[in-house]
Amino acid sequence: MTASNAASLPMPGLIKRAAGAENVGLGMVPRPKAGPDEVVIEVYATGICGTDLHIQDDEFPSLPPVVMGHEVTGRVVEAGPGAETWLGKRVSLETYFYTCDRCHACLAGRRNLCPSRRSIGSHVNGGFATHVKVPQRNLHEVHPSVGEHAGALYEPLSCVAQCLCDPAVASPGDTALVIGPGAMGILSAQVLRAQGAIVTISGAPTDQLRLDIATSLGLTAVLAGDLAGVTPEGGFDVVADASGNERGIDAGLRAVRKGGHYVQVGLAGKPITLDIDLICLRELVVTSGFASTPRSWHRVEKLIAAGQVVLDPLVTDVAPLSQWQTSFGRTRKADGLKLMLDPRMDGRA
Ligand SMILES: [Zn+2]
Ligand SMILES: [Zn+2]
């Protein structure tokens, strides 16, 4: 089959059809075709992320109709002029389909903050489909040690690295607490450990599977209710919230020591109420990060190559596109850890 024939074929995709909560469903869209410096990827897996739920709920900006999904891994099956060297390679991808490359943010290497940014999965067609098209500059080859589904976790790990690295938020010997043992939390805990911190991760009683996975990775996992018993005198040097939950964030701001460092990793998706005086009275350093940058991706490549962060144990469930509703619903209930959709499974059914 030639590329042009392939491009004329429709393919299934999970589409945000219109603005408004819900308005999400499976449909057929044209299979993309690679232009100059672009590639088409056969999708092996796309992770379901809190952001996808926020897009479903209309709590995160999107430009419908658009194929959702931004945590993507797969193989390059078509390369446009200038991108031929990527053909056949197993890749993960940065999410920005377009940035202006002229604004202050872009010129400072902060494409994640470009006001003209258009990302796959929210503004242009993303990875909940059999194929996705991206510029070749988005591509990163997946390390051979990473499984074919787990490659989709490069993207959330890059977001974590954007929050926690360059500069590192922890120094060797620091005590660190991560709140929320979802994928972002367990990735954050691994990155903080790589920075030399002694890491504790906390979760709710309903998070037992997630806490067990954290324990299997050598992390100290505790129930949030038991946190007082493991908190160092004066508090943790570093606290990272990966829950995006009002109660979790409140607990995090109270668990960090005076003059300590608090990092917001999770998104709440809506306004929440917090005692902001906790920051002033204790002179906390509060930082965050939004999405990822080429720098955070390069950090991730080094962390994975060094074996300092592992991805495969986080993938608990892989389902066909046709079962998206079940998988989205389970992600919403925090049932499982990282759930992914593999469009190749639909064809095999
Ligand atoms: Zn995500
Ligand atoms: Zn820009």
mmCIF file of all heavy atoms in Angstrom, residues 53-101:
data_model
loop_
_atom_site.group_PDB
_atom_site.id
_atom_site.type_symbol
_atom_site.label_atom_id
_atom_site.label_comp_id
_atom_site.label_asym_id
_atom_site.label_seq_id
_atom_site.Cartn_x
_atom_site.Cartn_y
_atom_site.Cartn_z
ATOM 1 N N LEU A 53 -9.200 13.157 31.513
ATOM 2 C CA LEU A 53 -10.463 13.260 32.250
ATOM 3 C C LEU A 53 -10.903 14.719 32.336
ATOM 4 O O LEU A 53 -12.088 15.031 32.199
ATOM 5 C CB LEU A 53 -10.311 12.660 33.654
ATOM 6 C CG LEU A 53 -9.838 11.204 33.712
ATOM 7 C CD1 LEU A 53 -9.709 10.738 35.159
ATOM 8 C CD2 LEU A 53 -10.771 10.277 32.942
ATOM 9 N N HIS A 54 -9.920 15.627 32.536
ATOM 10 C CA HIS A 54 -10.256 17.053 32.583
ATOM 11 C C HIS A 54 -10.768 17.526 31.219
ATOM 12 O O HIS A 54 -11.658 18.373 31.151
ATOM 13 C CB HIS A 54 -9.038 17.882 33.014
ATOM 14 C CG HIS A 54 -8.643 17.702 34.455
ATOM 15 N ND1 HIS A 54 -9.548 17.786 35.485
ATOM 16 C CD2 HIS A 54 -7.448 17.441 35.036
ATOM 17 C CE1 HIS A 54 -8.920 17.595 36.643
ATOM 18 N NE2 HIS A 54 -7.645 17.363 36.392
ATOM 19 N N ILE A 55 -10.208 16.982 30.119
ATOM 20 C CA ILE A 55 -10.707 17.344 28.787
ATOM 21 C C ILE A 55 -12.128 16.805 28.607
ATOM 22 O O ILE A 55 -13.021 17.493 28.104
ATOM 23 C CB ILE A 55 -9.753 16.808 27.682
ATOM 24 C CG1 ILE A 55 -8.436 17.585 27.703
ATOM 25 C CG2 ILE A 55 -10.409 16.904 26.304
ATOM 26 C CD1 ILE A 55 -7.351 17.013 26.801
ATOM 27 N N GLN A 56 -12.352 15.581 29.051
ATOM 28 C CA GLN A 56 -13.694 15.003 28.973
ATOM 29 C C GLN A 56 -14.693 15.882 29.735
ATOM 30 O O GLN A 56 -15.813 16.105 29.277
ATOM 31 C CB GLN A 56 -13.678 13.584 29.566
ATOM 32 C CG GLN A 56 -14.990 12.842 29.405
ATOM 33 C CD GLN A 56 -14.943 11.452 30.054
ATOM 34 O OE1 GLN A 56 -14.136 11.196 30.954
ATOM 35 N NE2 GLN A 56 -15.794 10.563 29.583
ATOM 36 N N ASP A 57 -14.270 16.395 30.872
ATOM 37 C CA ASP A 57 -15.147 17.208 31.724
ATOM 38 C C ASP A 57 -15.164 18.681 31.329
ATOM 39 O O ASP A 57 -15.829 19.489 31.976
ATOM 40 C CB ASP A 57 -14.688 17.116 33.191
ATOM 41 C CG ASP A 57 -14.803 15.705 33.744
ATOM 42 O OD1 ASP A 57 -15.517 14.891 33.138
ATOM 43 O OD2 ASP A 57 -14.160 15.428 34.786
ATOM 44 N N ASP A 58 -14.378 19.037 30.300
ATOM 45 C CA ASP A 58 -14.243 20.431 29.867
ATOM 46 C C ASP A 58 -13.566 21.304 30.927
ATOM 47 O O ASP A 58 -13.838 22.495 31.019
ATOM 48 C CB ASP A 58 -15.603 21.027 29.484
ATOM 49 C CG ASP A 58 -15.577 21.575 28.056
ATOM 50 O OD1 ASP A 58 -14.726 21.125 27.265
ATOM 51 O OD2 ASP A 58 -16.397 22.447 27.734
ATOM 52 N N GLU A 59 -12.673 20.715 31.687
ATOM 53 C CA GLU A 59 -11.923 21.466 32.700
ATOM 54 C C GLU A 59 -10.521 21.807 32.208
ATOM 55 O O GLU A 59 -9.739 22.413 32.937
ATOM 56 C CB GLU A 59 -11.812 20.650 33.993
ATOM 57 C CG GLU A 59 -13.141 20.458 34.696
ATOM 58 C CD GLU A 59 -13.031 19.525 35.891
ATOM 59 O OE1 GLU A 59 -12.011 18.814 36.037
ATOM 60 O OE2 GLU A 59 -13.984 19.502 36.674
ATOM 61 N N PHE A 60 -10.165 21.370 31.000
ATOM 62 C CA PHE A 60 -8.848 21.643 30.416
ATOM 63 C C PHE A 60 -9.108 22.067 28.973
ATOM 64 O O PHE A 60 -9.930 21.458 28.297
ATOM 65 C CB PHE A 60 -7.979 20.377 30.474
ATOM 66 C CG PHE A 60 -6.542 20.598 30.063
ATOM 67 C CD1 PHE A 60 -5.588 20.957 31.008
ATOM 68 C CD2 PHE A 60 -6.156 20.441 28.736
ATOM 69 C CE1 PHE A 60 -4.260 21.168 30.637
ATOM 70 C CE2 PHE A 60 -4.825 20.652 28.359
ATOM 71 C CZ PHE A 60 -3.880 21.008 29.318
ATOM 72 N N PRO A 61 -8.433 23.152 28.503
ATOM 73 C CA PRO A 61 -8.763 23.667 27.177
ATOM 74 C C PRO A 61 -8.508 22.663 26.053
ATOM 75 O O PRO A 61 -7.506 21.956 26.050
ATOM 76 C CB PRO A 61 -7.850 24.889 27.029
ATOM 77 C CG PRO A 61 -6.833 24.798 28.107
ATOM 78 C CD PRO A 61 -7.393 23.937 29.194
ATOM 79 N N SER A 62 -9.447 22.597 25.109
ATOM 80 C CA SER A 62 -9.271 21.758 23.923
ATOM 81 C C SER A 62 -9.939 22.443 22.746
ATOM 82 O O SER A 62 -10.706 23.393 22.918
ATOM 83 C CB SER A 62 -9.852 20.360 24.146
ATOM 84 O OG SER A 62 -11.249 20.432 24.314
ATOM 85 N N LEU A 63 -9.610 21.961 21.553
ATOM 86 C CA LEU A 63 -10.123 22.557 20.319
ATOM 87 C C LEU A 63 -10.845 21.467 19.519
ATOM 88 O O LEU A 63 -10.304 20.913 18.578
ATOM 89 C CB LEU A 63 -8.944 23.136 19.519
ATOM 90 C CG LEU A 63 -9.222 24.176 18.456
ATOM 91 C CD1 LEU A 63 -9.800 25.450 19.052
ATOM 92 C CD2 LEU A 63 -7.926 24.491 17.709
ATOM 93 N N PRO A 64 -12.056 21.114 19.925
ATOM 94 C CA PRO A 64 -12.760 20.022 19.257
ATOM 95 C C PRO A 64 -13.270 20.423 17.871
ATOM 96 O O PRO A 64 -13.429 21.618 17.626
ATOM 97 C CB PRO A 64 -13.925 19.734 20.215
ATOM 98 C CG PRO A 64 -14.068 20.924 21.091
ATOM 99 C CD PRO A 64 -12.804 21.722 21.022
ATOM 100 N N PRO A 65 -13.523 19.459 16.980
ATOM 101 C CA PRO A 65 -13.345 18.026 17.216
ATOM 102 C C PRO A 65 -11.863 17.634 17.132
ATOM 103 O O PRO A 65 -11.172 18.056 16.212
ATOM 104 C CB PRO A 65 -14.140 17.379 16.074
ATOM 105 C CG PRO A 65 -14.108 18.403 14.973
ATOM 106 C CD PRO A 65 -14.065 19.748 15.641
ATOM 107 N N VAL A 66 -11.435 16.818 18.079
ATOM 108 C CA VAL A 66 -10.017 16.444 18.122
ATOM 109 C C VAL A 66 -9.879 15.039 18.723
ATOM 110 O O VAL A 66 -10.607 14.683 19.656
ATOM 111 C CB VAL A 66 -9.216 17.485 18.937
ATOM 112 C CG1 VAL A 66 -9.607 17.500 20.415
ATOM 113 C CG2 VAL A 66 -7.709 17.285 18.798
ATOM 114 N N VAL A 67 -8.973 14.241 18.149
ATOM 115 C CA VAL A 67 -8.647 12.936 18.730
ATOM 116 C C VAL A 67 -7.841 13.185 20.000
ATOM 117 O O VAL A 67 -6.841 13.912 19.973
ATOM 118 C CB VAL A 67 -7.839 12.063 17.755
ATOM 119 C CG1 VAL A 67 -7.410 10.758 18.424
ATOM 120 C CG2 VAL A 67 -8.657 11.781 16.491
ATOM 121 N N MET A 68 -8.281 12.621 21.121
ATOM 122 C CA MET A 68 -7.611 12.821 22.400
ATOM 123 C C MET A 68 -6.376 11.918 22.518
ATOM 124 O O MET A 68 -6.155 11.054 21.687
ATOM 125 C CB MET A 68 -8.603 12.546 23.535
ATOM 126 C CG MET A 68 -9.771 13.522 23.560
ATOM 127 S SD MET A 68 -11.092 12.962 24.658
ATOM 128 C CE MET A 68 -10.231 12.917 26.241
ATOM 129 N N GLY A 69 -5.629 12.112 23.607
ATOM 130 C CA GLY A 69 -4.488 11.236 23.914
ATOM 131 C C GLY A 69 -3.158 11.910 23.626
ATOM 132 O O GLY A 69 -2.885 12.310 22.497
ATOM 133 N N HIS A 70 -2.317 12.055 24.671
ATOM 134 C CA HIS A 70 -1.037 12.750 24.486
ATOM 135 C C HIS A 70 0.136 11.966 25.075
ATOM 136 O O HIS A 70 1.270 12.400 24.945
ATOM 137 C CB HIS A 70 -1.108 14.137 25.133
ATOM 138 C CG HIS A 70 -1.412 14.076 26.591
ATOM 139 N ND1 HIS A 70 -2.706 14.007 27.066
ATOM 140 C CD2 HIS A 70 -0.607 14.017 27.667
ATOM 141 C CE1 HIS A 70 -2.664 13.923 28.385
ATOM 142 N NE2 HIS A 70 -1.407 13.916 28.781
ATOM 143 N N GLU A 71 -0.119 10.836 25.721
ATOM 144 C CA GLU A 71 0.983 10.025 26.286
ATOM 145 C C GLU A 71 1.163 8.834 25.355
ATOM 146 O O GLU A 71 0.597 7.777 25.563
ATOM 147 C CB GLU A 71 0.621 9.559 27.703
ATOM 148 C CG GLU A 71 0.371 10.703 28.661
ATOM 149 C CD GLU A 71 0.027 10.250 30.065
ATOM 150 O OE1 GLU A 71 -0.073 9.016 30.304
ATOM 151 O OE2 GLU A 71 -0.148 11.103 30.935
ATOM 152 N N VAL A 72 1.973 9.017 24.318
ATOM 153 C CA VAL A 72 1.947 8.108 23.186
ATOM 154 C C VAL A 72 3.294 7.409 22.989
ATOM 155 O O VAL A 72 4.351 8.018 23.145
ATOM 156 C CB VAL A 72 1.599 8.875 21.880
ATOM 157 C CG1 VAL A 72 1.330 7.908 20.740
ATOM 158 C CG2 VAL A 72 0.414 9.805 22.095
ATOM 159 N N THR A 73 3.219 6.139 22.612
ATOM 160 C CA THR A 73 4.409 5.442 22.128
ATOM 161 C C THR A 73 4.002 4.570 20.949
ATOM 162 O O THR A 73 2.847 4.156 20.835
ATOM 163 C CB THR A 73 5.064 4.597 23.232
ATOM 164 O OG1 THR A 73 6.315 4.079 22.741
ATOM 165 C CG2 THR A 73 4.187 3.435 23.661
ATOM 166 N N GLY A 74 4.960 4.317 20.069
ATOM 167 C CA GLY A 74 4.674 3.487 18.898
ATOM 168 C C GLY A 74 5.888 3.418 17.997
ATOM 169 O O GLY A 74 7.008 3.717 18.426
ATOM 170 N N ARG A 75 5.648 3.016 16.733
ATOM 171 C CA ARG A 75 6.749 2.879 15.781
ATOM 172 C C ARG A 75 6.494 3.804 14.595
ATOM 173 O O ARG A 75 5.360 3.937 14.142
ATOM 174 C CB ARG A 75 6.863 1.419 15.314
ATOM 175 C CG ARG A 75 8.151 1.135 14.552
ATOM 176 C CD ARG A 75 8.343 -0.351 14.279
ATOM 177 N NE ARG A 75 8.525 -1.165 15.461
ATOM 178 C CZ ARG A 75 9.674 -1.298 16.144
ATOM 179 N NH1 ARG A 75 10.759 -0.676 15.733
ATOM 180 N NH2 ARG A 75 9.738 -2.067 17.212
ATOM 181 N N VAL A 76 7.551 4.430 14.113
ATOM 182 C CA VAL A 76 7.437 5.309 12.951
ATOM 183 C C VAL A 76 7.225 4.445 11.708
ATOM 184 O O VAL A 76 8.083 3.621 11.371
ATOM 185 C CB VAL A 76 8.689 6.201 12.793
ATOM 186 C CG1 VAL A 76 8.588 7.044 11.519
ATOM 187 C CG2 VAL A 76 8.866 7.091 14.015
ATOM 188 N N VAL A 77 6.069 4.602 11.043
ATOM 189 C CA VAL A 77 5.756 3.783 9.864
ATOM 190 C C VAL A 77 5.736 4.606 8.578
ATOM 191 O O VAL A 77 5.646 4.049 7.492
ATOM 192 C CB VAL A 77 4.400 3.051 10.032
ATOM 193 C CG1 VAL A 77 4.496 1.990 11.121
ATOM 194 C CG2 VAL A 77 3.257 4.025 10.301
ATOM 195 N N GLU A 78 5.790 5.914 8.690
ATOM 196 C CA GLU A 78 5.836 6.755 7.490
ATOM 197 C C GLU A 78 6.628 8.001 7.848
ATOM 198 O O GLU A 78 6.418 8.582 8.920
ATOM 199 C CB GLU A 78 4.409 7.134 7.060
ATOM 200 C CG GLU A 78 4.346 7.874 5.732
ATOM 201 C CD GLU A 78 2.984 8.564 5.537
ATOM 202 O OE1 GLU A 78 1.963 8.010 5.985
ATOM 203 O OE2 GLU A 78 2.978 9.663 4.971
ATOM 204 N N ALA A 79 7.551 8.383 6.979
ATOM 205 C CA ALA A 79 8.373 9.565 7.238
ATOM 206 C C ALA A 79 8.303 10.496 6.041
ATOM 207 O O ALA A 79 8.470 10.067 4.898
ATOM 208 C CB ALA A 79 9.821 9.156 7.511
ATOM 209 N N GLY A 80 8.035 11.772 6.312
ATOM 210 C CA GLY A 80 8.027 12.768 5.247
ATOM 211 C C GLY A 80 9.449 13.156 4.875
ATOM 212 O O GLY A 80 10.419 12.747 5.530
ATOM 213 N N PRO A 81 9.598 13.973 3.809
ATOM 214 C CA PRO A 81 10.930 14.400 3.371
ATOM 215 C C PRO A 81 11.714 15.039 4.519
ATOM 216 O O PRO A 81 11.185 15.900 5.225
ATOM 217 C CB PRO A 81 10.625 15.432 2.272
ATOM 218 C CG PRO A 81 9.241 15.108 1.801
ATOM 219 C CD PRO A 81 8.510 14.528 2.977
ATOM 220 N N GLY A 82 12.934 14.566 4.721
ATOM 221 C CA GLY A 82 13.788 15.116 5.768
ATOM 222 C C GLY A 82 13.710 14.355 7.076
ATOM 223 O O GLY A 82 14.534 14.566 7.971
ATOM 224 N N ALA A 83 12.721 13.459 7.210
ATOM 225 C CA ALA A 83 12.552 12.732 8.481
ATOM 226 C C ALA A 83 12.827 11.243 8.319
ATOM 227 O O ALA A 83 12.522 10.447 9.211
ATOM 228 C CB ALA A 83 11.142 12.951 9.021
ATOM 229 N N GLU A 84 13.436 10.855 7.185
ATOM 230 C CA GLU A 84 13.568 9.432 6.848
ATOM 231 C C GLU A 84 14.353 8.630 7.878
ATOM 232 O O GLU A 84 14.126 7.431 8.027
ATOM 233 C CB GLU A 84 14.232 9.272 5.466
ATOM 234 C CG GLU A 84 13.404 9.798 4.292
ATOM 235 C CD GLU A 84 13.614 11.289 4.018
ATOM 236 O OE1 GLU A 84 14.256 11.963 4.845
ATOM 237 O OE2 GLU A 84 13.115 11.766 2.982
ATOM 238 N N THR A 85 15.268 9.279 8.601
ATOM 239 C CA THR A 85 16.100 8.513 9.537
ATOM 240 C C THR A 85 15.271 7.908 10.675
ATOM 241 O O THR A 85 15.748 7.006 11.368
ATOM 242 C CB THR A 85 17.207 9.403 10.169
ATOM 243 O OG1 THR A 85 16.578 10.547 10.731
ATOM 244 C CG2 THR A 85 18.239 9.809 9.151
ATOM 245 N N TRP A 86 14.056 8.396 10.869
ATOM 246 C CA TRP A 86 13.230 7.878 11.975
ATOM 247 C C TRP A 86 12.449 6.627 11.599
ATOM 248 O O TRP A 86 11.881 5.960 12.480
ATOM 249 C CB TRP A 86 12.234 8.954 12.444
ATOM 250 C CG TRP A 86 12.899 10.017 13.235
ATOM 251 C CD1 TRP A 86 13.268 11.260 12.801
ATOM 252 C CD2 TRP A 86 13.303 9.936 14.606
ATOM 253 N NE1 TRP A 86 13.875 11.951 13.823
ATOM 254 C CE2 TRP A 86 13.900 11.158 14.937
ATOM 255 C CE3 TRP A 86 13.204 8.934 15.589
ATOM 256 C CZ2 TRP A 86 14.401 11.416 16.214
ATOM 257 C CZ3 TRP A 86 13.704 9.194 16.853
ATOM 258 C CH2 TRP A 86 14.297 10.419 17.154
ATOM 259 N N LEU A 87 12.408 6.303 10.306
ATOM 260 C CA LEU A 87 11.565 5.196 9.846
ATOM 261 C C LEU A 87 11.906 3.897 10.581
ATOM 262 O O LEU A 87 13.066 3.491 10.648
ATOM 263 C CB LEU A 87 11.753 5.025 8.337
ATOM 264 C CG LEU A 87 10.567 4.486 7.523
ATOM 265 C CD1 LEU A 87 9.287 5.272 7.799
ATOM 266 C CD2 LEU A 87 10.897 4.518 6.044
ATOM 267 N N GLY A 88 10.890 3.254 11.143
ATOM 268 C CA GLY A 88 11.069 1.968 11.815
ATOM 269 C C GLY A 88 11.449 2.081 13.280
ATOM 270 O O GLY A 88 11.463 1.080 13.993
ATOM 271 N N LYS A 89 11.764 3.284 13.759
ATOM 272 C CA LYS A 89 12.219 3.422 15.146
ATOM 273 C C LYS A 89 11.031 3.451 16.116
ATOM 274 O O LYS A 89 9.969 3.968 15.803
ATOM 275 C CB LYS A 89 13.055 4.695 15.315
ATOM 276 C CG LYS A 89 14.409 4.566 14.632
ATOM 277 C CD LYS A 89 15.388 5.633 15.036
ATOM 278 C CE LYS A 89 16.769 5.270 14.499
ATOM 279 N NZ LYS A 89 17.538 6.413 14.078
ATOM 280 N N ARG A 90 11.287 2.882 17.306
ATOM 281 C CA ARG A 90 10.282 2.897 18.369
ATOM 282 C C ARG A 90 10.474 4.189 19.156
ATOM 283 O O ARG A 90 11.582 4.484 19.609
ATOM 284 C CB ARG A 90 10.461 1.679 19.265
ATOM 285 C CG ARG A 90 9.336 1.456 20.246
ATOM 286 C CD ARG A 90 9.334 0.021 20.736
ATOM 287 N NE ARG A 90 10.475 -0.285 21.597
ATOM 288 C CZ ARG A 90 10.434 -0.267 22.924
ATOM 289 N NH1 ARG A 90 9.319 0.025 23.543
ATOM 290 N NH2 ARG A 90 11.506 -0.555 23.636
ATOM 291 N N VAL A 91 9.403 4.935 19.289
ATOM 292 C CA VAL A 91 9.538 6.295 19.813
ATOM 293 C C VAL A 91 8.484 6.621 20.866
ATOM 294 O O VAL A 91 7.440 5.971 20.976
ATOM 295 C CB VAL A 91 9.398 7.341 18.669
ATOM 296 C CG1 VAL A 91 10.563 7.232 17.695
ATOM 297 C CG2 VAL A 91 8.066 7.198 17.940
ATOM 298 N N SER A 92 8.801 7.666 21.628
ATOM 299 C CA SER A 92 7.828 8.378 22.437
ATOM 300 C C SER A 92 7.914 9.827 21.988
ATOM 301 O O SER A 92 8.877 10.209 21.326
ATOM 302 C CB SER A 92 8.163 8.220 23.916
ATOM 303 O OG SER A 92 7.107 8.748 24.686
ATOM 304 N N LEU A 93 6.897 10.647 22.339
ATOM 305 C CA LEU A 93 6.884 11.948 21.699
ATOM 306 C C LEU A 93 6.487 13.101 22.582
ATOM 307 O O LEU A 93 5.590 12.984 23.406
ATOM 308 C CB LEU A 93 5.978 11.948 20.463
ATOM 309 C CG LEU A 93 4.816 11.006 20.433
ATOM 310 C CD1 LEU A 93 3.611 11.674 19.856
ATOM 311 C CD2 LEU A 93 5.203 9.818 19.571
ATOM 312 N N GLU A 94 7.184 14.226 22.361
ATOM 313 C CA GLU A 94 6.766 15.487 22.976
ATOM 314 C C GLU A 94 5.419 15.883 22.366
ATOM 315 O O GLU A 94 5.111 15.538 21.235
ATOM 316 C CB GLU A 94 7.816 16.574 22.720
ATOM 317 C CG GLU A 94 9.138 16.283 23.423
ATOM 318 C CD GLU A 94 10.161 17.388 23.222
ATOM 319 O OE1 GLU A 94 9.802 18.573 23.333
ATOM 320 O OE2 GLU A 94 11.337 17.062 22.952
ATOM 321 N N THR A 95 4.647 16.617 23.146
ATOM 322 C CA THR A 95 3.235 16.796 22.788
ATOM 323 C C THR A 95 2.953 18.038 21.944
ATOM 324 O O THR A 95 1.850 18.199 21.450
ATOM 325 C CB THR A 95 2.394 16.901 24.072
ATOM 326 O OG1 THR A 95 2.950 17.911 24.899
ATOM 327 C CG2 THR A 95 2.385 15.584 24.818
ATOM 328 N N TYR A 96 3.958 18.921 21.775
ATOM 329 C CA TYR A 96 3.637 20.177 21.081
ATOM 330 C C TYR A 96 3.709 19.981 19.583
ATOM 331 O O TYR A 96 4.786 19.820 19.035
ATOM 332 C CB TYR A 96 4.598 21.295 21.497
ATOM 333 C CG TYR A 96 4.702 21.385 22.986
ATOM 334 C CD1 TYR A 96 5.916 21.293 23.622
ATOM 335 C CD2 TYR A 96 3.542 21.501 23.751
ATOM 336 C CE1 TYR A 96 5.989 21.337 24.990
ATOM 337 C CE2 TYR A 96 3.607 21.546 25.116
ATOM 338 C CZ TYR A 96 4.841 21.453 25.739
ATOM 339 O OH TYR A 96 4.913 21.481 27.083
ATOM 340 N N PHE A 97 2.562 20.033 18.933
ATOM 341 C CA PHE A 97 2.561 19.942 17.480
ATOM 342 C C PHE A 97 3.060 21.255 16.887
ATOM 343 O O PHE A 97 3.745 21.287 15.882
ATOM 344 C CB PHE A 97 1.148 19.641 16.960
ATOM 345 C CG PHE A 97 1.124 19.203 15.538
ATOM 346 C CD1 PHE A 97 1.143 17.861 15.216
ATOM 347 C CD2 PHE A 97 1.126 20.132 14.510
ATOM 348 C CE1 PHE A 97 1.153 17.450 13.893
ATOM 349 C CE2 PHE A 97 1.145 19.730 13.194
ATOM 350 C CZ PHE A 97 1.154 18.388 12.884
ATOM 351 N N TYR A 98 2.697 22.358 17.555
ATOM 352 C CA TYR A 98 3.096 23.669 17.047
ATOM 353 C C TYR A 98 3.427 24.602 18.196
ATOM 354 O O TYR A 98 2.685 24.663 19.183
ATOM 355 C CB TYR A 98 1.959 24.293 16.220
ATOM 356 C CG TYR A 98 2.243 25.713 15.814
ATOM 357 C CD1 TYR A 98 3.023 25.990 14.698
ATOM 358 C CD2 TYR A 98 1.765 26.785 16.574
ATOM 359 C CE1 TYR A 98 3.317 27.301 14.346
ATOM 360 C CE2 TYR A 98 2.056 28.094 16.228
ATOM 361 C CZ TYR A 98 2.831 28.352 15.108
ATOM 362 O OH TYR A 98 3.128 29.646 14.769
ATOM 363 N N THR A 99 4.548 25.297 18.108
ATOM 364 C CA THR A 99 4.825 26.466 18.946
ATOM 365 C C THR A 99 5.377 27.540 18.028
ATOM 366 O O THR A 99 5.892 27.239 16.948
ATOM 367 C CB THR A 99 5.855 26.154 20.055
ATOM 368 O OG1 THR A 99 6.976 25.491 19.466
ATOM 369 C CG2 THR A 99 5.259 25.272 21.145
ATOM 370 N N CYS A 100 5.273 28.816 18.457
ATOM 371 C CA CYS A 100 5.591 29.901 17.511
ATOM 372 C C CYS A 100 7.087 30.056 17.275
ATOM 373 O O CYS A 100 7.498 30.567 16.234
ATOM 374 C CB CYS A 100 4.968 31.208 17.985
ATOM 375 S SG CYS A 100 5.904 32.011 19.313
ATOM 376 N N ASP A 101 7.921 29.642 18.241
ATOM 377 C CA ASP A 101 9.375 29.770 18.163
ATOM 378 C C ASP A 101 9.850 31.223 18.084
ATOM 379 O O ASP A 101 10.984 31.496 17.707
ATOM 380 C CB ASP A 101 9.948 28.968 16.968
ATOM 381 C CG ASP A 101 9.667 27.477 17.125
ATOM 382 O OD1 ASP A 101 9.490 27.025 18.269
ATOM 383 O OD2 ASP A 101 9.615 26.773 16.098
#
